[in-house]
Amino acid sequence: MKSLVILISGRGSNMQALIEAKLPVRVAAVISNKPNAPGLDIARMHGCETIVVDQRSYPERASFDAALMETIDAYQPDLIVLAGFMRILGNDFVNHYQGRLLNVHPSLLPAFPGLNPHRQALKEGVKIHGCTVHFVTAQMDCGPIIIQAAVQVRPDDTEETLAARVLQQEHRIYPEAVRWFMEDRLKLSENRVNVSNAGFNGSVLYSPGSNK
């Protein structure tokens, strides 16, 4: 059975969604850069091994990245996923795991990369917002896109209400992307990801809603 390492920094709701999806994979470890991350307790409740690589113990990013790589490599995982891991990783780290490092971002990339994507979406007045699972590359939030999900932006939305609906979709598409990877159904060609037997039905999402 292929194995997975999950990196978290906080509550780990996407980590929990991945574990509870009961994918045909083994969660080798859940690793946090913060010792008080609530997600560690959730991981332990699910029987997962947990490890802390405390970023405060490493004054330089390179030394932290090296320690994190050493910890991950001890498990020899097939895939590493960032699940609310709030730490920018250096080029050496990203290149070391090229093609087997995934992230989920709460926007329809390439729109609204970086911080506060829901605030950006509301400020720009978009009618559709969403989330994206992508391969991680050296350029932040710019890696090849695997899957996206969209939600309508309502006239009375706040950052909090919009974020909550987007998070529901993150919990849906992140396990799907991991499943596709583990089943060798992803083919990466330059900046494009092709998915074999993805089950697309050709439907179109309109916002505002339309009967046409």
Side-chain angles (χ1 to χ4, degrees):
M1 181 178 291
K2 292 184 177 180
S3 64
L4 175 71
V5 163
I6 304 174
L7 306 185
I8 66 170
S9 295
R11 59 179 174 162
S13 70
N14 271 306
M15 171 209 69
Q16 185 173 355
L18 288 166
I19 294 172
E20 294 180 351
K22 299 189 182 302
L23 300 169
V25 303
R26 179 176 62 87
V27 178
V30 174
I31 303 174
S32 176
N33 61 320
K34 296 184 177 181
N36 60 348
L40 291 170
D41 290 332
I42 296 173
R44 294 184 191 111
M45 288 173 55
H46 284 84
C48 298
E49 182 174 347
T50 61
I51 298 176
V52 174
V53 181
D54 193 340
Q55 65 184 35
R56 296 173 300 182
S57 301
Y58 303 91
E60 298 178 352
R61 184 169 71 179
S63 60
F64 170 80
D65 286 359
L68 184 58
M69 281 192 290
E70 183 178 359
T71 303
I72 292 171
D73 287 347
Y75 293 93
Q76 298 182 317
D78 296 282
L79 179 67
I80 303 94
V81 299
L82 310 182
F85 187 72
M86 304 304 292
R87 173 93 182 189
I88 295 176
L89 296 164
N91 291 352
D92 288 344
F93 183 98
V94 172
N95 292 334
H96 183 67
Y97 298 111
Q98 185 175 15
R100 56 190 183 106
L101 180 63
L102 303 187
N103 184 42
V104 61
H105 181 75
S107 79
L108 294 173
L109 294 174
F112 313 131
L115 298 176
N116 304 314
H118 309 304
R119 185 182 307 170
Q120 296 181 60
L122 291 173
K123 179 181 179 181
E124 296 299 328
V126 298
K127 304 303 182 184
I128 295 175
H129 189 44
C131 51
T132 303
V133 178
H134 63 96
F135 284 101
V136 177
T137 59
Q139 189 173 359
M140 187 177 66
D141 298 332
C142 289
I145 292 170
I146 298 170
I147 184 173
Q148 295 179 301
V151 300
Q152 291 187 349
V153 180
R154 299 169 182 167
D156 60 347
D157 262 328
T158 64
E159 284 186 59
E160 292 73 23
T161 60
L162 184 56
R165 289 204 312 284
V166 170
L167 186 61
Q168 289 180 335
Q169 298 306 312
E170 292 179 43
H171 295 168
R172 182 174 68 87
I173 66 172
Y174 213 176
E176 194 71 11
V178 170
R179 182 189 302 276
W180 288 341
F181 182 94
M182 294 301 195
E183 293 177 350
D184 298 319
R185 293 165 60 185
L186 302 181
K187 183 177 180 181
L188 183 59
S189 177
E190 295 182 353
N191 199 46
R192 188 178 183 89
V193 180
N194 294 312
V195 185
S196 61
N197 301 317
F200 298 124
N201 59 16
S203 62
V204 175
L205 173 63
Y206 292 94
S207 180
S210 172
N211 294 323
K212 297 183 179 179

